[in-house]
Amino acid sequence: MDHIEELARALARFPGIGPRQGKRFVYYLLSAPADERKRLSELVTALGKDVRQCSECMRFYNGGNTATICNYCSDKTRDDSLLMLVEKDQDLSAVERAGTYKGRYFVLGGVLTLSGKGAIREKELFKIVEKKLKNNLKELVLALSATSEGEHTTDRIRELLAPYRDHLKLSELGRGLATGSELEYSDAETLRAALTNRKET
Ligand SMILES: [Zn+2]
């Protein structure tokens, strides 16, 4: 087996990384101290062992114990009347960094593309909405990126959740977010404004 080629191919499967960058990483690793390579491989292995996926919000978290839900979902001080839908874990982190939102979350795990590709966690979304509605849920905050895919996905979710509209308010982030911007890269100030200016949809 050609280890250089194999590892380069594995790295090229990462988002945003192509074959040439994959190869650059491999040569970097070859020139790095053995300790650094060892540490990296240990960290990758630990991801499968110590990181869990929350059964409620679906985010990945460090689960050192036997809990099946994460600290945001188990935190009794958070507001059960609000559920924010984000595309990915990194977006959730960006909202947490902004520091104003104190409700619950759900990570959709992707967006739907205009050509009909991509998948979101529809089944899990229904499950959590049903469950939370029994527990004081009042508003669903659609916090998707201000991209065409994000908007397309928002439309689809609005459609999916139409049967719940009598009991559930849907809102979208205010357009403090520039068109085309991804939540993950928005600064805290912009996110705070977008949250405060969210509007019913
Ligand atoms: Zn959770």
Side-chain angles (χ1 to χ4, degrees):
M1 177 161 81
D2 184 335
H3 293 295
I4 292 177
E5 280 300 325
E6 281 291 310
L7 183 55
R9 257 201 292 274
L11 292 168
R13 284 199 290 271
F14 284 30
I17 303 298
R20 274 165 50 168
Q21 278 161 311
K23 201 139 267 170
R24 269 174 65 197
F25 290 167
V26 176
Y27 285 109
Y28 164 74
L29 285 169
L30 285 168
S31 68
D35 277 2
E36 196 175 323
R37 285 195 297 270
K38 184 159 175 278
R39 175 89 183 119
L40 188 64
S41 74
E42 283 165 1
L43 286 170
V44 173
T45 308
L47 280 182
K49 242 182 20 218
D50 302 329
V51 177
R52 292 159 188 271
Q53 190 169 23
C54 175
S55 61
E56 290 213 339
C57 69
M58 306 306 289
R59 83 182 182 99
F60 291 99
Y61 69 108
N62 288 301
N65 48 35
T66 51
T68 59
I69 59 172
C70 75
N71 50 323
Y72 298 146
C73 291
S74 60
D75 185 347
K76 297 265 187 291
T77 67
R78 295 190 79 110
D79 185 352
D80 280 315
S81 70
L82 289 171
L83 182 67
M84 180 185 284
L85 303 192
V86 293
E87 178 187 327
K88 51 191 189 300
D89 287 54
Q90 300 95 298
D91 297 340
L92 190 157
S93 306
V95 175
E96 274 301 297
R97 271 199 306 276
T100 39
Y101 180 75
K102 290 293 171 221
R104 308 287 180 186
Y105 293 101
F106 181 80
V107 182
L108 289 164
V111 279
L112 303 169
T113 66
L114 300 178
S115 60
K117 291 209 190 75
I120 55 172
R121 297 174 176 133
E122 288 187 12
K123 210 169 65 208
E124 293 86 349
L125 174 64
F126 279 124
K127 210 176 105 195
I128 201 72
V129 167
E130 295 264 353
K131 182 174 172 186
K132 300 264 177 210
L133 274 172
K134 290 182 196 122
N135 191 22
N136 203 33
L137 176 62
K138 299 272 183 278
E139 179 181 346
L140 207 76
V141 185
L142 298 163
L144 282 95
S145 295
T147 58
S148 49
E149 280 92 3
E151 275 158 26
H152 182 58
T153 309
T154 296
D155 288 344
R156 172 75 183 137
I157 290 169
R158 225 185 274 125
E159 218 175 271
L160 282 171
L161 297 178
Y164 300 97
R165 290 304 293 272
D166 289 347
H167 320 281
L168 192 58
K169 181 174 148 185
L170 296 190
S171 64
E172 275 180 65
L173 291 186
R175 290 291 101 161
L177 285 178
T179 304
S181 67
E182 291 196 39
L183 214 64
E184 179 186 356
Y185 304 113
S186 303
D187 60 86
E189 193 70 27
T190 309
L191 268 179
R192 276 196 288 271
L195 259 168
T196 312
N197 301 325
R198 69 182 188 272
K199 56 183 187 319
E200 194 165 349
T201 168

